[in-house]
Amino acid sequence: MPDQLLFAMEVMLNGLMAGVMYALVALGFVLIYKASGIFNYAQGVLALFAALTLVGIQQGQVPFAHLINAVTGLHITHFGWTVPSALAILLTLGVMVALAIVIEKLVLKHLVNQPPIILFMATIGMAYFLEGFGDVMWGADIKKLDVGLPQGISETVESATDAMFGYGFFIDNLDIVATLVAVALVAALTIFSQYSKQGRALRAVADDHQAALSVGISLRFIWILVWSIAGFVALVAGIMWGSKSGVQFSLSLIALKALPVLMLGGFTSIPGAIVGGLIIGVGEKLFEFFAGPLIGGATENWFAYVLALVFLVFRPQGLFGEKIIERV
Amino acid sequence: MNAMTEGYMTADGRKIGGVLMELKNITLRFGGVVAIKDISFDIRDGEIRAIIGPNGAGKSSMLNVISGFYTPTEGSVWFKGYQRGPMRPYQVAQLGIARTFQNIALFDGMSVLDNIMTGRLTLMKSGLLSQALWWGGAAHEEDEHREKVEKIIDFLEIQNIRKTPVGRLPYGLKKRVELARALAAEPKMLLLDEPMAGMNVEEKEDMCRFILDLNDEFGTTIVLIEHDMGVVMDLSDRVVVMDYGKKIGDGPPDEVRNNQDVIDAYLGVSHD
Ligand SMILES: Nc1ncnc2c1ncn2[C@@H]1O[C@H](COP(=O)(O)OP(=O)(O)OP(=O)(O)O)[C@@H](O)[C@H]1O
Ligand SMILES: [Mg+2]
């Protein structure tokens, strides 16, 4: 096979893997949008907050240490213990569920029956609050996240492709893990939503509030559930992105990568988020590969949006999105 | 007085029980609009109770008070002898009160079967964790519910559309699916807001038959809003008549039919 083609194939594979990462973030948006019609601006910050909390718990950081020290004149930063990754992840999940309950009790509960734009603005408020709150709680410095996921280039893939084509593909181990996790996550969410009692209730709420109430579903419980699941997805995304590039403010900007994915896949479709993520991932990597050198590179920053815009013109509801209803 | 607590026998031999629900001095206001003015009546166990009245009389509002969608501004609701505190609709549903809507509220994106299955949510025991960790038990439970739902599907004769997304069904069938979903909850009391509106004669006859059959077979208490007087006369044991938010008649169908106030309301005689 010609080198150019093999190289393009490698780029494409890398694009697929990047796409999975985008899809992970987009998934969080879709879940909340489907169940409550809210575009959750805070989803990216949720991932940042989850990653910060995970690192903090793992390393035995004292929450609000800065605040405590400032008030009491002490100089504590760490408890002096470390928490095993698995336990730390579970504890972080607990924190995300608690956060979901707080959000429902303090914000959503009071905004029932408000127009979507009000709810959207509330999530903007939440995003900035949570960003600051995360800083106060865990400190604003850049942190390294290591939950024991394999790092570096996969030698298995490299040697296998080398044997096959005489050209070894460079694929990140972490990307492979992320792909497997994403597949498992989507499978689990699909099974949950199709076959469990709560999943059915969740779909019912997403479809019609009145009817959901009439069959005995508590909207508030479902909202807490949805935000908890979104928190869980944010945690997974936070772990993957945090392991890749460290835990810092820029992690919350992955939400910006999810936006074109949503425009492409539709706001209401889980498969749409996945396929949209893959198209964007592959598209931007291939475009950079072929057109980047011609127009001076750095196309990855904007290509996704252009692709999504072009798409939007022809299919406003996205690939798999439901037809746009005037009510939305 | 004894009849009040002990119930009575109908002409066609059905046994009507004691008072299941009592509405006492219900008033409901929306800002300046008074939708219900100081209305009291009771609903007996096993009874088919109709609410009739001209458009805008407050019938749907009354049903919404019973189902917890509206909280009455004044007055109290008594169910099985206990006063009901302010309740959310989902809590009322969990008490065994199911309903349908005047403007059909189904889950359009789901299949007929899934729609009806949601009706059983309140009866499902398996919680979130047991479902995640103990698939066998949860799956077994799902099968049991499926069986019950299939019986309802047979009963309402909608076998051939069980996999169809509800959004694609014609109006008459949607109404039937909505009834099926309400029935799936095995309710003690069933609230039907104009279940036959917009149906042709044949569909209406089917619906009448279903309502009579389920009342007869399962002893379900039914509160029904209906404009078709023929249907009301045929189906109901007792009728409440509303006009401009007030109760202007209450009793067996033929008695109500001959009530002068009711005749005036329907003929549009001006109020003094
Ligand atoms: N949510 C609401 N907000 C404000 N006003 C309302 C509301 N619901 C009902 N009303 C008013 O209360 C009055 C009674 O309405 P309701 O829907 O109960 O009448 P109805 O007897 O069911 O009429 P129809 O036969 O047309 O269904 C009407 O004047 C209506 O405009
Ligand atoms: Mg009405």
Side-chain angles (χ1 to χ4, degrees):
Chain A
M1 253 187 262
D3 275 1
Q4 183 78 358
L5 184 64
L6 283 170
F7 199 33
M9 263 172 74
E10 184 186 11
V11 169
M12 211 174 102
L13 263 179
N14 271 307
L16 277 176
M17 307 260 168
V20 168
M21 295 286 230
Y22 300 158
L24 266 181
V25 187
L27 209 55
F29 283 98
V30 170
L31 285 171
I32 291 187
Y33 189 81
K34 256 184 94 87
S36 48
I38 300 178
F39 178 80
N40 178 23
Y41 184 82
Q43 190 64 31
V45 182
L46 224 49
L48 172 66
F49 183 78
L52 276 175
T53 306
L54 177 56
V55 176
I57 291 177
Q58 224 183 354
Q59 300 179 349
Q61 247 185 292
V62 179
F64 305 107
H66 206 80
L67 198 64
I68 294 172
N69 293 345
V71 173
T72 60
L74 295 169
H75 290 286
I76 48 167
T77 53
H78 289 80
F79 291 116
W81 66 63
T82 57
V83 177
S85 296
L87 182 60
I89 290 175
L90 271 181
L91 289 172
T92 309
L93 190 56
V95 171
M96 298 313 282
V97 172
L99 185 66
I101 294 172
V102 170
I103 288 175
E104 200 281 333
K105 289 255 184 294
L106 292 186
V107 184
L108 299 178
K109 189 176 110 179
H110 306 285
L111 297 179
V112 175
N113 290 334
Q114 295 294 327
I117 185 73
I118 302 286
L119 290 159
F120 173 61
M121 291 201 287
T123 67
I124 295 182
M126 271 190 254
Y128 287 103
F129 172 78
L130 203 58
E131 195 189 307
F133 188 71
D135 274 359
V136 174
M137 197 164 169
W138 302 112
D141 49 321
I142 299 177
K143 297 174 183 63
K144 197 169 147 351
L145 174 63
D146 182 7
V147 290
L149 295 179
Q151 299 281 344
I153 303 295
S154 165
E155 283 167 22
T156 330
V157 172
E158 199 192 342
S159 55
T161 47
D162 196 32
M164 244 190 289
F165 313 113
Y167 173 87
F169 286 10
F170 278 15
I171 305 281
D172 261 352
N173 266 320
L174 190 63
D175 285 343
I176 298 176
V177 172
T179 306
L180 296 179
V181 168
V183 170
L185 192 67
V186 170
L189 282 176
T190 310
I191 291 174
F192 169 76
S193 125
Q194 292 297 320
Y195 300 108
S196 79
K197 169 185 171 184
Q198 276 78 14
R200 192 175 275 125
L202 208 147
R203 279 189 292 144
V205 171
D207 203 316
D208 190 310
H209 286 182
Q210 290 260 305
L213 284 171
S214 83
V215 294
I217 298 170
S218 154
L219 290 186
R220 295 181 51 189
F221 171 75
I222 290 297
W223 279 331
I224 290 176
L225 182 67
V226 169
W227 280 78
S228 299
I229 297 174
F232 173 60
V233 174
L235 172 62
V236 174
I239 291 175
M240 296 305 162
W241 284 84
S243 303
K244 209 178 162 94
S245 29
V247 179
Q248 52 182 316
F249 169 71
S250 69
L251 187 84
S252 68
L253 299 181
I254 54 174
L256 295 180
K257 279 291 182 190
L259 219 53
V261 172
L262 292 169
M263 285 153 80
L264 210 70
F267 281 80
T268 51
S269 163
I270 290 179
I274 308 297
V275 176
L278 295 181
I279 293 177
I280 296 271
V282 172
E284 72 178 16
K285 286 279 187 312
L286 282 181
F287 188 77
E288 172 74 27
F289 176 66
F290 287 114
L294 301 177
I295 50 180
T299 61
E300 284 185 35
N301 288 332
W302 52 264
F303 177 76
Y305 281 91
V306 174
L307 190 65
L309 274 177
V310 170
F311 206 86
L312 212 53
V313 173
F314 293 104
R315 213 181 141 77
Q317 73 269 37
L319 269 178
F320 299 89
E322 285 150 25
K323 242 195 24 239
I324 293 171
I325 338 160
E326 74 278 15
R327 188 159 60 90
V328 175
Chain B
M1 196 61 224
N2 206 24
M4 278 296 283
T5 46
E6 294 306 316
Y8 61 96
M9 290 294 268
T10 61
D12 54 348
R14 282 156 48 243
K15 192 181 175 308
I16 303 294
V19 172
L20 180 62
M21 179 176 278
E22 193 167 5
L23 296 130
K24 287 189 185 166
N25 307 98
I26 302 288
T27 295
L28 178 71
R29 286 192 203 92
F30 297 105
V33 181
V34 189
I36 303 174
K37 283 183 202 134
D38 193 26
I39 289 190
S40 305
F41 65 96
D42 61 32
I43 300 156
R44 285 168 175 281
D45 194 9
E47 188 176 40
I48 301 182
R49 190 79 152 111
I51 302 177
I52 63 169
N55 290 112
K59 307 178 295 294
S60 294
S61 300
M62 199 60 179
L63 212 65
N64 280 320
V65 166
I66 298 175
S67 65
F69 276 70
Y70 293 160
T71 308
T73 322
E74 283 160 41
S76 56
V77 180
W78 297 67
F79 186 58
K80 293 182 177 169
Y82 295 96
Q83 182 172 356
R84 212 170 75 180
M87 272 192 161
R88 295 174 173 282
Y90 78 90
Q91 293 170 319
V92 174
Q94 286 167 358
L95 286 179
I97 299 179
R99 69 168 295 174
T100 64
F101 294 83
Q102 183 167 356
N103 309 308
I104 307 185
L106 283 165
F107 308 116
D108 282 346
M110 298 192 203
S111 69
V112 168
L113 189 65
D114 258 354
N115 263 275
I116 305 175
M117 280 296 276
T118 61
R120 293 195 71 79
L121 281 169
T122 54
L123 303 172
M124 292 188 178
K125 282 183 234 54
S126 297
L128 207 55
L129 265 179
S130 71
Q131 281 190 320
L133 303 177
W134 191 50
W135 273 105
H140 180 68
E141 206 200 333
E142 174 95 3
D143 286 347
E144 274 174 21
H145 289 296
R146 227 353 243 284
E147 231 166 81
K148 290 268 167 57
V149 165
E150 288 297 340
K151 281 206 185 111
I152 292 166
I153 288 177
D154 287 346
F155 177 71
L156 292 179
E157 297 161 15
I158 45 179
Q159 298 91 335
N160 53 338
I161 53 162
R162 66 153 81 61
K163 302 273 173 182
T164 314
V166 160
R168 288 206 210 123
L169 294 177
Y171 185 83
L173 279 179
K174 278 190 185 172
K175 284 249 167 204
R176 213 184 272 195
V177 174
E178 207 191 16
L179 175 62
R181 184 184 62 195
L183 279 184
E186 297 178 21
K188 183 84 196 118
M189 189 186 235
L190 186 58
L191 313 174
L192 306 174
D193 198 343
E194 305 198 14
M196 293 163 231
M199 286 186 169
N200 62 35
V201 177
E202 197 185 329
E203 287 171 327
K204 271 189 189 181
E205 276 171 3
D206 283 341
M207 191 55 101
C208 279
R209 180 163 53 85
F210 295 140
I211 291 173
L212 283 172
D213 280 356
L214 75 95
N215 171 261
D216 203 22
E217 271 184 47
F218 310 112
T220 313
T221 306
I222 293 165
V223 183
L224 163 93
I225 297 176
E226 187 47 55
H227 278 294
D228 186 323
M229 285 310 270
V231 166
V232 171
M233 295 302 147
D234 281 353
L235 286 184
S236 52
D237 297 309
R238 288 191 298 159
V239 185
V240 173
V241 192
M242 290 178 73
D243 190 24
Y244 289 104
K246 283 190 287 204
K247 184 171 99 170
I248 56 167
D250 186 357
D254 13 304
E255 191 183 304
V256 161
R257 188 167 35 185
N258 298 320
N259 177 328
Q260 194 54 47
D261 286 339
V262 175
I263 295 167
D264 290 352
Y266 271 89
L267 295 180
V269 171
S270 66
H271 296 248
D272 40 2

